[in-house]
Amino acid sequence: MSRINLLLLVAVLVSGMVLIRSAYDSRRLFTEVDRARAEAQRLESDHQRLLAERHAQATNLRVEQVARERLHMRVINPAVTQSVDLVRPQAASGVAR
């Protein structure tokens, strides 16, 4: 009878250790999931902020301002317009086209 008791005691101790290990793993995984959700929420808010900044930078007024200041561009008008006439050069070898 003592062998059965000893075997049952070992079985209870092993099952207790397995239960403790699974509870520990469950808490650890829950913590990781919670951290991952927090990181996902932070990344989503950063994404929304960056989209708003990109939208603000891409407005027509902002693009025009950058074109004037950095690229030294100006609005086209007839006084500034230049036309270029393209003249085909004569072939030097005398070959007719």
Side-chain angles (χ1 to χ4, degrees), residues 14-75:
V14 168
S15 69
M17 296 298 281
V18 169
L19 179 66
I20 289 171
R21 178 65 183 193
S22 69
Y24 171 76
D25 287 342
S26 174
R27 284 192 301 268
R28 184 178 52 82
L29 291 174
F30 180 76
T31 303
E32 286 181 23
V33 166
D34 193 39
R35 284 184 188 149
R37 284 183 183 155
E39 179 71 10
Q41 186 176 13
R42 185 187 66 78
L43 289 173
E44 182 62 30
S45 68
D46 284 350
H47 181 255
Q48 293 298 325
R49 181 183 54 82
L50 289 172
L51 284 177
E53 285 180 13
R54 183 176 73 176
H55 179 70
Q57 293 292 324
T59 61
N60 290 338
L61 184 62
R62 175 73 178 147
V63 170
E64 189 174 328
Q65 179 185 9
V66 169
R68 278 193 191 126
E69 292 174 0
R70 292 186 189 165
L71 302 176
H72 305 292
M73 296 176 86
R74 58 183 181 230
V75 178

